[in-house]
Amino acid sequence: MAQYLLSVHTASDDAAHAAMTDEEMQRTFQQIAELEEDMKTQGAWMFSARLHEPDTATVVRNSGGQIVTTDGPYVESKEHLAGFYIIEAPDLDAALEWAGRTTSIVGAPIEVRPFAGFKSD
């Protein structure tokens, strides 16, 4: 079974999420919980997580043989990675179906990428 990263992207100035009421937020969290339970029931869910804002990131690199750390994020951008799912799916179409259900709930674009070294059965 192939494994895929479903990365959830958002923008710093995403007015849609900033304008959510507590009730809307709770409803979204409930829908996400139901989606993840469905993923687990169908054997697709492996792991998922939300990330803190990009200004909490630290970048570590090797520069001339020295390990250097700098405040992140690595890429300065209005859009950033907000969270992710790692799933197993029989093929790309099945992964895209999970991504479609996810974006319908969270309202953010989802990038689907297969992990290297895993083939569809």
Side-chain angles (χ1 to χ4, degrees), residues 4-45:
Y4 296 88
L5 171 68
L6 310 182
S7 54
V8 180
H9 296 268
T10 191
S12 302
D13 62 352
D14 188 349
H17 289 98
M20 288 180 90
T21 65
D22 286 342
E23 184 179 345
E24 291 168 328
M25 191 71 77
Q26 291 304 314
R27 186 173 45 244
T28 298
F29 288 151
Q30 179 62 37
Q31 290 173 324
I32 290 170
E34 291 169 6
L35 171 69
E36 290 180 1
E37 187 58 36
D38 198 19
M39 286 179 170
K40 291 173 186 174
T41 300
Q42 296 192 37
W45 186 90

Side-chain angles (χ1 to χ4, degrees), residues 26-84:
Q26 291 304 314
R27 186 173 45 244
T28 298
F29 288 151
Q30 179 62 37
Q31 290 173 324
I32 290 170
E34 291 169 6
L35 171 69
E36 290 180 1
E37 187 58 36
D38 198 19
M39 286 179 170
K40 291 173 186 174
T41 300
Q42 296 192 37
W45 186 90
M46 297 182 69
F47 185 78
S48 65
R50 282 182 43 209
L51 299 173
H52 282 284
E53 294 299 316
D55 63 352
T56 64
T58 303
V59 178
V60 180
R61 71 185 76 208
N62 183 338
S63 178
Q66 298 289 317
I67 301 300
V68 177
T69 60
T70 55
D71 291 340
Y74 176 66
V75 176
E76 295 288 339
S77 173
K78 187 175 93 175
E79 295 85 15
H80 60 270
L81 182 63
F84 60 90

Side-chain angles (χ1 to χ4, degrees), residues 4 6 87 89 91-103 110-113:
Y4 296 88
L6 310 182
I87 66 166
D91 54 37
L92 178 61
D93 288 339
L96 294 175
E97 210 170 300
W98 285 117
R101 289 184 59 186
T102 305
T103 193
I110 310 290
E111 180 180 291
V112 179
R113 294 178 88 176

